[in-house]
């Protein structure tokens, strides 16, 4: 691009001469100062001004003064044409940029040389400006694309704040959410958080005063939406070439995320500190060494151990290992060693000894801290006081394993001990001795519940005298005790010890005159496991079998193969009864036989007693004395009893069909049936459904039934009697005998037990009381029926003493239905 030169001279000749001398340059000319200023306004890029000072209208001095006032021309190169040297000083006083002087008259060659020199300087300046422009462009790109916020500001008055922002990059605008114009309108103090303003102003004033060269701080800006942004800010002076203004550069980086994390961490640390200080135990970090050298110990150390935390730090006064109870130290080390090898969490309970010598139970929860090489760097965890929990656990454990009344071990502990010993002590000889004191319930009726409970406690205290480490006493049930024996010699030792138990019990019951049973069960050695429930059931069976029929003595019974067979038979009987109770298709297994009852006054059959019989393929014929007690014990007597009544009523209807409608049938009823609230209604409903005459129905109950609940049962049989049923007391004289109560019984008949009838065969008839029983029965207003009459002599005696009715093998054995009907037919045939 050619150099552009403006020649200002009022002499046209001089202008032409200069123009010819400057061939190769772009020349513009002006005849005076006014024209010169106009051309400067109209033409951009004039590089050099050749100015004559002496001109009309506006001289050279006036032109130079006008150029000085216009910033656009302050760097314009000027060659002044003058004939006076003294004017140089005057021109210099204007403080213009590059000014050169040529004296008139003008020497063309000199002028050419001077112009060429200035042209060379102008070209050099252009190249420099281009380079500067390129650098400025690069700087602008960096400025705008920088990942931090940048702002440049200046002060007209260094003593005054805020400064004027002249430039900000996009990141700065993005961080604070405001444009340059908004910042200048509001001023940076208005967008600074009030809590940071004082520190920021103080730093900035020190920077302006020169006390500091720069400053940095974390501060908060308030964004337009009211949100807060944290920044790390650096402020420093900025020097621009050839500029006297006071510039500053401000660099900001958004640290809101970091601050949020710091605050969260601070809050976490604060919470952790509060948490650790309020823990009922000791939080720690320690070395993995035998002393458990503590690097950190929480404040809870004092309340747990009685030692201040600092006394444990780095084993200053003592090590943590010294606080651990001696018996746990090696175990604790081994457990940590095992856990760390597997990199698992640590959990262990042990005891410590406090500063006062108190032992406390603690629970330690911890984990290993590993370095990059996988080596244990430290251990961290917490030690909690669980003494209260342990005390509760011990109490619960004691209550779970002990009988509350006697303090002896209970059934739970017996079961757990047997399970453990059978598994771990396979070769040891083990036996159980069961003590059955169920007969003590008889004392409750007379003396009350508390009396028998106090008696049980005396028994427990007396039997405890025989306890050793090989003999452990238990109370597994209300009126039962069990001795568990280990490593005894033989059966003789078991018998001898059982006799010792009997002597002890007899001394306790010396005034109460009750007995019980002693059952012995030997546990076979070498078993890996055993059915504990089965063992205890067998022991109970042995102790029940050993109870004396009269309940006054103690007897010993071993559980053996014979008893095993008996138990298995009972189990099979119960199984058969269960099937009969629910399955009508096997009803033939349960059948009735009927034994005739003769009226001694008429000599005719007046009734039959229905007798239940059981016959199964597996068991064959089962005597009533076997299956009836089992049916009562298992409550199966309720459904089976109903089936018996239905069969008996069916037989009554058959008798009616054959013309024997005056013959009655009596049925044996157990206490369990009578105590069932539905029994009366169900019996009457069955009578009605089967259309049976209630006057031909009799029920037989034993005396002992009334021991259960005299008033209730007497009331029930009274209601049945009112409905027409005949009520008989069975086995009179052997059970609940009380003449006072006998008079109150709402019954029709009394059946004299076979025991008294048999006496007639072996005793002088004059000395027997059978006649007295008959007499008393009549005086009480009841009919007398004798059972078990098998001999003529018995029959004659009974006739002689006014007995009303008899039954027994002398009259007839129990008969099946068809045989019973045929029997009646024979009896009525002339």
């Amino acid at each position: 691009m050619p150099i552009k030169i403006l020649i200002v001279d009022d002499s046209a000749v001089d202008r032409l001469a200069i123009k010819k001398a400057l061939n190769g340059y772009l020349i513009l000319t002006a005849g005076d100062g006014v024209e010169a200023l106009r051309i400067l306004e109209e033409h951009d890029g004039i590089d050099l001004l050749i100015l004559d000072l002496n001109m009309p209208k506006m001289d050279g001095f006036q032109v130079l003064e006008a150029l000085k006032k216009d910033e656009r021309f302050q760097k314009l190169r000027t060659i002044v044409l003058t004939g006076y040297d003294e004017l140089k000083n005057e021109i210099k006083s204007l403080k213009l940029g590059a000014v050169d002087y040529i004296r008139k008259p003008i020497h063309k060659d000199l002028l050419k040389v001077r112009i060429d020199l200035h042209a060379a300087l102008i070209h050099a300046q252009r190249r420099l400006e281009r380079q500067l422009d390129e650098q400025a462009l690069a700087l602008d790109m960096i400025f705008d694309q920088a990942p931090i916020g940048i702002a440049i500001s200046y002060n007209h008055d260094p003593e005054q704040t805020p400064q004027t922002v002249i430039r900000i990059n996009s990141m700065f605008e993005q961080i604070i959410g405001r444009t340059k114009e908004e910042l200048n309108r509001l001023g940076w103090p208005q967008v600074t958080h009030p809590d940071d303003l004082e520190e920021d102003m103080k730093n900035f004033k020190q920077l302006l005063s020169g006390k500091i060269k720069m400053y940095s701080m974390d501060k908060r800006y308030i964004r337009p939406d009211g949100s807060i942004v944290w920044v790390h800010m650096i402020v420093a002076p900025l020097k621009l070439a050839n500029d006297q203004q006071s510039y500053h550069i401000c660099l900001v980086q958004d640290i809101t995320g970091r601050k949020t994390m710091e605050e969260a961490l601070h809050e976490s640390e604060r919470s952790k500190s509060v948490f650790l200080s309020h823990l009922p135990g000791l939080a720690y970090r320690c070395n993995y060494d035998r002393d458990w050298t503590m690097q950190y110990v929480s404040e809870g150390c004092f309340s747990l151990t009685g030692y201040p935390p600092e006394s444990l730090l780095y084993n200053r006064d003592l090590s943590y290992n010294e606080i651990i109870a001696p018996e746990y130290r090696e175990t604790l080390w081994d457990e940590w060693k095992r856990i760390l090898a597997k990199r698992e969490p640590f959990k262990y309970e042990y005891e410590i000894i406090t500063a006062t010598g108190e032992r406390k139970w603690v629970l330690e929860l911890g984990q290993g801290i590993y370095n990059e090489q996988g080596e244990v760097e430290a251990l961290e965890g917490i030690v909690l006081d669980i003494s209260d929990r342990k005390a509760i656990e011990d109490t619960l454990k004691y209550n779970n394993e002990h009988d509350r009344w006697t303090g002896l071990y209970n059934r739970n502990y017996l079961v757990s001990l047997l399970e453990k010993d059978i598994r771990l002590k396979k070769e040891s000889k083990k036996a159980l001795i069961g003590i059955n004191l169920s007969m003590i319930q008889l004392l409750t009726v007379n003396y009350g519940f508390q009396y028998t409970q106090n008696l049980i406690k005396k028994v427990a205290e007396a039997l405890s005298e025989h306890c050793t480490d090989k003999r452990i006493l238990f109370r597994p049930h209300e009126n039962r005790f069990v001795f568990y024996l280990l490593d005894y010699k033989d059966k003789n030792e078991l018998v001898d010890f059982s006799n010792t138990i009997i002597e002890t019990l007899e001394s306790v019951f010396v005034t109460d005159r009750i007995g019980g049973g002693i059952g012995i069960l030997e546990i076979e050695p070498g078993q890996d496991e055993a059915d504990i429930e089965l063992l205890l059931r067998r022991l109970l069976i042995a102790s029940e079998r050993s109870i004396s029929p009269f309940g006054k003595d103690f007897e010993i019974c071993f559980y053996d193969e014979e008893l095993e067979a008996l138990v298995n038979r009972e189990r099979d009987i119960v199984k058969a009864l269960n099937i009969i109770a629910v399955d009508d298709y096997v009803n033939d297994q349960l059948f009735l036989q009927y034994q005739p009852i003769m009226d001694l006054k008429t000599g005719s059959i007046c009734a039959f007693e229905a007798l239940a019989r059981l016959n199964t393929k597996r068991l064959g014929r089962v005597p009533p004395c076997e299956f009836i007690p089992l049916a009562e014990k298992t409550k199966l007597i309720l459904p089976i009893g109903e089936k018996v009544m239905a069969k008996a009523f069916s037989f009554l209807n058959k008798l009616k069909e054959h013309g024997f409608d005056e013959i009655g049938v009596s049925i044996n009823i157990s206490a369990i049936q009578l105590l069932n609230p539905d029994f009366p209604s169900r019996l009457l409903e069955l009578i009605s459904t089967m259309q049976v005459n209630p006057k031909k129905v009799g029920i037989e109950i034993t005396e002992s039934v009334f021991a259960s609940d005299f008033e209730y049962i007497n009331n029930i049989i009274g209601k049945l009697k009112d409905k027409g049923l005949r009520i008989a007391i069975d086995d009179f004289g052997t059970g609940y005998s009380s003449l006072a109560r006998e008079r109150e019984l709402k019954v029709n008949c009394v059946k004299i037990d076979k025991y008294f009838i048999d006496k007639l065969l072996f005793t002088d008839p004059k000395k027997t009381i059978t006649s007295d029983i008959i007499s008393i029965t009549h005086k009480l207003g009841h009919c007398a029926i004798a059972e078990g009459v098998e001999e003529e002599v018995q029959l004659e005696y009974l006739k002689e003493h006014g007995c009303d009715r008899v039954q027994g093998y002398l009259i007839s054995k129990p008969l099946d239905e068809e045989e019973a009907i045929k029997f009646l037919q024979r009896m009525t045939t002339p």
Side-chain angles (χ1 to χ4, degrees):
M1 183 178 177
I3 301 297
K4 187 183 290 187
I5 300 173
L6 174 60
I7 301 172
V8 184
D9 197 323
D10 62 346
S11 171
V13 175
D14 287 344
R15 290 199 301 274
L16 182 58
I18 295 172
K19 185 175 181 180
K20 287 181 179 181
L22 301 179
N23 186 26
Y25 297 97
L26 181 59
I27 303 298
L28 299 175
T29 61
D32 56 39
V34 174
E35 186 180 5
L37 292 177
R38 180 180 58 77
I39 292 173
L40 286 168
E41 287 287 339
E42 294 176 354
H43 294 269
D44 292 331
I46 295 176
D47 300 301
L48 182 61
L49 175 63
I50 300 176
L51 178 63
D52 187 6
L53 293 181
N54 187 18
M55 292 183 297
K57 292 185 181 180
M58 177 182 286
D59 61 20
F61 277 106
Q62 292 174 320
V63 172
L64 292 172
E65 287 177 349
L67 293 178
K68 178 182 177 182
K69 295 177 181 178
D70 195 330
E71 292 182 356
R72 293 174 296 169
F73 306 118
Q74 287 181 358
K75 294 183 180 180
L76 179 63
R77 288 182 173 275
T78 306
I79 297 177
V80 177
L81 303 177
T82 178
Y84 305 97
D85 290 337
E86 62 271 14
L87 292 177
K88 291 181 180 179
N89 293 329
E90 190 174 348
I91 292 170
K92 289 180 179 179
S93 66
L94 294 175
K95 296 182 179 178
L96 296 172
V99 179
D100 198 1
Y101 305 94
I102 297 179
R103 288 178 59 85
K104 283 188 173 184
I106 299 171
H107 189 284
K108 293 181 181 180
D109 293 335
L110 177 60
L111 178 61
K112 179 70 167 72
V113 172
R114 299 285 284 275
I115 293 298
D116 289 343
L117 177 59
H118 279 283
L121 292 172
I122 289 170
H123 281 301
Q125 184 176 354
R126 283 181 176 178
R127 286 195 300 274
L128 179 59
E129 287 175 351
R130 281 197 299 273
Q131 292 174 357
L132 290 174
D133 288 342
E134 291 173 356
Q135 292 175 1
L137 180 61
L139 289 173
D140 284 345
M141 291 177 64
I142 294 172
F143 186 85
D144 289 332
Q145 297 179 19
I148 61 173
I150 305 174
I152 298 175
S153 61
Y154 74 93
N155 257 15
H156 295 290
D157 181 1
E159 299 299 323
Q160 187 177 0
T161 58
Q163 293 192 329
T164 300
V165 178
I166 60 173
R167 188 173 182 184
I168 64 174
N169 69 351
S170 59
M171 182 56 71
F172 193 96
E173 185 174 329
Q174 179 182 333
I175 290 172
I176 68 172
R178 299 182 188 274
T179 63
K180 178 183 74 174
E181 290 72 24
E182 287 179 289
L183 282 175
N184 285 328
R185 186 180 76 251
L186 296 171
W188 62 260
Q190 294 300 317
V191 299
T192 299
H193 193 282
D195 293 345
D196 301 328
L197 184 58
E198 182 179 350
E199 181 184 355
D200 199 3
M201 291 289 287
K202 177 182 177 182
N203 290 334
F204 191 66
K205 287 180 179 179
Q206 288 181 331
L207 182 68
L208 291 177
S209 66
K211 291 182 179 179
I212 56 176
K213 294 182 179 181
M214 61 168 289
Y215 72 90
S216 64
M217 64 177 289
D218 291 346
K219 68 174 284 186
R220 287 161 285 184
Y221 280 112
I222 303 172
R223 308 183 85 172
D225 61 0
S227 61
I228 301 297
V229 58
W230 273 97
V231 300
H232 178 67
M233 181 180 71
I234 300 174
V235 181
L238 181 65
K239 297 293 184 180
L240 300 180
N242 300 320
D243 202 324
Q244 302 301 316
Q245 296 288 348
S246 176
Y247 291 94
H248 292 90
I249 185 169
C250 175
L251 307 177
V252 296
Q253 184 176 15
D254 188 347
I255 60 169
T256 305
R258 191 193 80 192
K259 280 290 183 180
T260 302
M261 290 179 63
E262 287 178 355
E263 288 176 5
L265 181 61
H266 176 73
E267 178 61 24
S268 174
E269 290 296 325
R270 187 194 66 80
S271 299
K272 180 180 176 182
S273 176
V274 172
F275 174 72
L276 292 177
S277 65
H278 288 83
L279 278 177
L282 177 154
Y284 69 86
R285 179 184 175 94
C286 72
N287 295 341
Y288 178 42
D289 58 28
R290 285 282 184 170
D291 288 327
W292 313 108
T293 302
M294 293 293 169
Q295 303 174 16
Y296 166 80
V297 183
S298 69
E299 292 297 325
C301 175
F302 183 76
S303 60
L304 178 67
T305 68
Y307 296 102
E310 57 272 15
S311 65
L312 268 69
L313 288 175
Y314 300 99
N315 306 327
R316 190 192 75 178
D317 298 328
L318 77 166
S319 69
Y320 183 73
N321 192 58
E322 294 175 77
I323 296 176
I324 299 169
E327 63 268 29
Y328 294 99
R329 291 172 186 172
E330 195 63 32
T331 307
L332 190 64
W333 175 262
D334 292 340
E335 183 64 12
W336 263 112
K337 187 177 180 181
R338 184 184 69 82
I339 288 297
L340 291 172
K342 297 181 178 181
R343 294 202 173 198
E344 294 177 347
F346 181 81
K347 182 179 180 180
Y348 199 74
E349 296 179 2
Y350 55 93
E351 287 183 283
I352 62 171
I353 301 174
T354 67
T356 61
E358 177 189 3
R359 293 179 75 97
K360 284 186 178 180
W361 273 100
V362 297
L363 168 64
E364 182 174 349
L365 303 170
Q367 62 182 9
I369 306 301
Y370 305 88
N371 59 23
E372 294 179 356
Q373 290 72 40
E375 300 168 338
V376 179
E377 191 173 81
L379 307 177
E380 289 184 352
I382 186 168
V383 181
L384 299 171
D385 185 353
I386 59 169
S387 299
D388 291 342
R389 192 199 81 190
K390 273 291 185 180
I392 294 172
E393 285 179 357
D394 290 344
T395 300
L396 290 174
K397 184 173 184 292
Y398 182 88
N399 291 338
N400 187 55
E401 295 179 347
H402 290 76
D403 173 62
R404 291 188 178 183
W405 182 245
T406 63
L408 299 176
Y409 289 121
N410 60 17
R411 190 179 191 278
N412 291 337
Y413 187 65
L414 174 59
V415 170
S416 63
L417 185 60
L418 286 173
E419 288 175 344
K420 184 180 71 172
D421 283 0
I422 288 173
R423 187 176 65 254
L424 301 179
K425 300 179 179 180
K426 297 179 183 180
E427 303 308 320
S428 297
K429 297 188 72 173
K430 296 177 280 290
L432 298 172
I433 298 180
I435 305 166
N436 192 326
L437 300 178
S438 57
M439 300 301 293
I440 203 171
Q441 290 298 336
L442 297 175
L443 299 177
T444 305
V445 177
N446 296 323
Y447 303 112
F449 174 78
Q450 194 58 47
Y451 179 84
T452 56
Q453 289 302 296
N454 291 336
L455 203 56
I456 286 292
K457 184 172 284 190
K458 287 182 181 179
V459 171
E461 292 170 355
L463 292 177
S464 295
E465 297 294 325
H466 303 297
C467 290
T468 66
D469 58 337
K470 300 296 183 180
R471 294 177 188 165
I472 307 172
L473 181 61
F474 300 82
R475 190 195 181 198
H477 195 267
E478 184 179 8
N479 297 318
R480 296 177 195 145
F481 294 88
V482 171
F483 268 106
Y484 174 40
L485 281 71
L486 276 171
D487 299 327
Y488 61 93
K489 294 180 182 178
D490 50 28
K491 284 190 175 184
N492 291 332
E493 182 180 341
L494 297 177
V495 173
D496 290 343
F497 182 59
S498 296
N499 286 324
T500 301
I501 293 172
I502 290 173
E503 290 175 5
T504 302
L505 294 173
E506 287 176 342
S507 66
V508 175
F509 297 130
V510 64
T511 60
D512 297 293
R513 297 184 58 77
I514 62 166
I518 306 293
I520 302 175
L521 173 68
E522 292 187 276
I523 301 173
E524 296 181 9
Q527 298 182 78
D528 291 326
E529 57 183 34
D531 186 341
I532 305 301
E533 294 298 327
L534 179 61
L535 293 177
L536 295 179
R537 188 170 68 84
R538 288 175 173 175
L539 180 66
L540 175 61
I541 291 169
S543 66
E544 286 182 341
R545 293 288 177 183
S546 61
I547 295 177
S548 168
F550 299 101
K552 303 298 183 183
D553 302 308
F554 287 93
E555 296 183 5
I556 300 171
C557 176
F558 274 88
Y559 189 92
D560 52 20
E561 292 182 1
E562 183 179 343
L563 192 56
E564 176 79 25
L566 180 60
V567 170
N568 290 338
R569 177 173 172 80
E570 289 182 351
R571 184 182 64 243
D572 292 340
I573 292 172
V574 170
K575 184 177 180 181
L577 293 174
N578 268 299
I579 295 173
I580 291 169
V582 299
D583 193 345
D584 291 333
Y585 293 100
V586 294
N587 247 0
D588 58 333
Q589 294 184 7
L590 177 71
F591 63 96
L592 301 185
Q593 288 188 318
Y594 302 92
Q595 188 169 35
I597 301 174
M598 176 182 286
D599 187 332
L600 290 181
K601 291 180 181 179
T602 64
S604 61
I605 302 301
C606 60
F608 287 94
E609 179 181 358
L611 301 170
R613 298 291 185 259
L614 181 64
N615 186 14
T616 71
K617 291 181 180 180
R618 179 182 177 86
L619 300 169
R621 294 290 288 262
V622 181
C625 60
E626 264 195 286
F627 75 84
I628 294 297
L630 290 174
E632 292 179 337
K633 183 178 181 180
T634 58
K635 303 296 189 294
L636 291 171
I637 194 66
L638 296 174
I640 290 174
E642 190 163 319
K643 291 180 184 291
V644 167
M645 289 189 293
K647 287 177 181 289
F649 295 162
S650 177
F651 176 64
L652 264 178
N653 287 331
K654 281 187 180 182
L655 290 176
K656 185 177 180 181
E657 291 172 4
H658 286 79
F660 301 112
D661 51 355
E662 295 301 318
I663 305 298
V665 173
S666 62
I667 307 164
N668 289 283
I669 301 298
S670 74
I672 293 172
Q673 289 173 280
L674 279 173
L675 292 172
N676 181 13
D678 297 331
F679 173 74
S681 60
R682 182 60 187 147
L683 173 59
L684 295 173
E685 180 185 350
L686 197 59
I687 289 173
S688 175
T689 302
M690 299 188 70
Q691 298 180 354
V692 173
N693 183 357
K695 294 182 179 180
K696 300 304 176 183
V697 176
I699 63 172
E700 298 184 12
I701 54 178
T702 60
E703 281 183 291
S704 58
V705 165
F706 292 93
S708 301
D709 192 332
F710 180 88
E711 296 295 338
Y712 177 79
I713 292 177
N714 202 33
N715 184 47
I716 292 297
I717 62 176
K719 290 179 180 180
L720 294 176
K721 183 181 177 184
D722 293 340
K723 293 293 182 181
L725 279 74
R726 294 180 63 80
I727 314 297
I729 298 295
D730 199 10
D731 301 330
F732 181 78
T734 61
Y736 187 74
S737 299
S738 169
L739 292 178
R741 280 293 175 93
E742 207 74 48
R743 180 180 294 278
E744 299 174 16
L745 293 179
K746 299 175 181 180
V747 300
N748 304 97
C749 304
V750 170
K751 298 188 76 172
I752 304 170
D753 189 78
K754 186 177 182 297
Y755 170 80
F756 298 103
I757 306 304
D758 288 343
K759 287 289 186 181
L760 298 175
L761 297 175
F762 311 107
T763 308
D764 184 350
K766 295 180 180 180
K767 295 182 179 180
T768 64
I769 65 170
T770 307
S771 60
D772 298 319
I773 296 174
I774 295 170
S775 176
I776 291 171
T777 300
H778 288 158
K779 288 179 180 179
L780 293 174
H782 306 323
C783 166
I785 303 173
E787 295 183 288
V789 178
E790 298 176 355
E791 302 291 340
E792 283 291 342
V793 64
Q794 296 169 322
L795 180 61
E796 291 302 321
Y797 178 92
L798 295 169
K799 285 180 179 180
E800 181 183 343
H801 290 89
C803 185
D804 301 297
R805 298 176 182 178
V806 295
Q807 73 179 90
Y809 273 74
L810 181 62
I811 310 302
S812 174
K813 66 177 182 179
L815 305 169
D816 294 333
E817 284 189 7
E818 297 302 325
E819 291 178 350
I821 293 173
K822 290 178 182 179
F823 178 81
L824 283 176
Q825 291 172 340
R826 289 195 301 271
M827 291 289 290
T828 57
T829 301

